[in-house]
Amino acid sequence: MTAIDLNADLGEGFGRWRLTDDEQLLSVVTSANVACGFHAGDAATMRRVCEQAAARKVTIGAQVSYRDLAGFGRRAMDVPPEELAAEVAYQIGALEVFARAAGARVAYVKPHGALYNRVVHDEEQAGAVVAGVLLADTALPVLGLPGSRLLEVAAAAGLPAVTEAFADRAYTEQGTLVPRGQQGAVVTDPDTVVERSVGLARAGRVVAHTGASIDVRARSLCLHGDTPGAVELARRVRRRLEESGVRVEAFV
């Protein structure tokens, strides 16, 4: 039977402000990418999400980012490699405290936003992220885009490299994500997102923004939690996957 992990970006709030419905999404997904305070999140939020994830036996991952609270981690930044490596390790370590307090652990790492897109092609920044992961734990899996420099560098360093796909993001014919600033970068029609999810899980294929069918083979499928109706859409995706004979389970 085909298996797929469902992950979502959670803990994306700060103080009294909350962006994602963490508790409801944790009833659907199998892996939680928890914001570690650099693009969103704070100590209390990280602790709460880790406790909720552990209670539901959802795998906890560290979603690391450039230091960019004001821009939600989506602004391009140039950070020296040694500084970026230290900041990645710092974020993982901060989340690990709360994960262990909840009786769990940080089980993987995923970059966020501008950093995620940068390390698709930038070997130096990819190397810095991997160096930061290694500082924190020499065996942590790294989640990223298939064919990215990040996963190549991670695999070369001996870290498990896990491929990820997006049902609600438009793809170029090269298998990269269409930048968010471009029209149509986010797929908003729920029926389309659901069917794309099944196609990615069962066939490893998706329709690019040009109309071409491309290969995107992934072990994990990301469901964005910061879009309207995210919880109900996530439920529909999971239900349709299971109806299609896909086993939904964490990759760790």
Side-chain angles (χ1 to χ4, degrees):
M1 180 183 288
T2 300
I4 195 80
D5 169 61
L6 292 182
N7 77 73
D9 302 343
L10 301 180
E12 291 185 328
F14 194 81
R16 297 179 64 183
W17 175 70
R18 295 189 184 184
L19 178 62
T20 50
D21 189 343
D22 300 324
E23 187 170 5
Q24 292 302 313
L25 284 167
L26 284 167
S27 70
V28 182
V29 300
T30 48
S31 295
N33 317 315
V34 184
C36 299
F38 273 38
H39 74 281
D42 55 30
T45 302
M46 286 190 281
R47 181 179 184 180
R48 172 176 51 81
V49 176
C50 284
E51 288 174 346
Q52 292 174 346
R56 292 184 177 273
K57 300 189 184 308
V58 174
T59 300
I60 296 171
Q63 186 162 45
V64 298
S65 170
Y66 287 128
R67 188 188 293 270
D68 182 26
L69 272 175
F72 197 60
R74 288 180 176 163
R75 298 185 293 190
M77 304 183 76
D78 288 314
V79 180
E82 288 189 3
E83 182 178 338
L84 180 58
E87 292 189 338
V88 166
Y90 179 93
Q91 292 174 77
I92 297 168
L95 188 65
E96 178 69 8
V97 168
F98 300 116
R100 288 197 176 275
R105 64 185 179 91
V106 171
Y108 66 93
V109 178
K110 173 185 171 178
H112 165 82
L115 181 58
Y116 187 97
N117 292 318
R118 179 76 171 267
V119 296
V120 171
H121 301 295
D122 190 320
E123 184 165 3
E124 183 179 65
Q125 294 282 280
V129 171
V130 170
V133 174
L134 290 169
L135 275 173
D137 188 319
T138 57
L140 276 178
V142 176
L143 187 61
L145 208 65
S148 65
R149 297 301 295 149
L150 174 66
L151 294 191
E152 292 175 2
V153 174
L159 297 174
V162 184
T163 53
E164 176 184 40
F166 297 81
D168 61 354
R169 289 295 311 277
Y171 281 84
T172 68
E173 287 193 27
Q174 293 71 42
T176 58
L177 300 179
V178 173
R180 280 184 175 267
Q182 292 187 23
Q183 186 175 6
V186 179
V187 180
T188 57
D189 178 65
D191 292 337
T192 301
V193 173
V194 171
E195 292 311 309
R196 282 163 64 94
S197 299
V198 175
L200 285 162
R202 289 187 58 84
R205 298 191 67 79
V206 71
V207 176
H209 73 122
T210 59
S213 179
I214 62 171
D215 284 324
V216 180
R217 302 199 175 270
R219 179 64 183 85
S220 186
L221 183 66
C222 181
L223 304 174
H224 281 104
D226 60 346
T227 54
V231 173
E232 181 55 34
L233 180 56
R235 288 175 177 150
R236 285 189 58 190
V237 167
R238 176 156 187 167
R239 183 165 58 246
R240 185 74 178 88
L241 286 169
E242 292 174 337
E243 290 171 350
S244 301
V246 177
R247 185 173 66 253
V248 179
E249 63 180 18
F251 63 84
V252 178

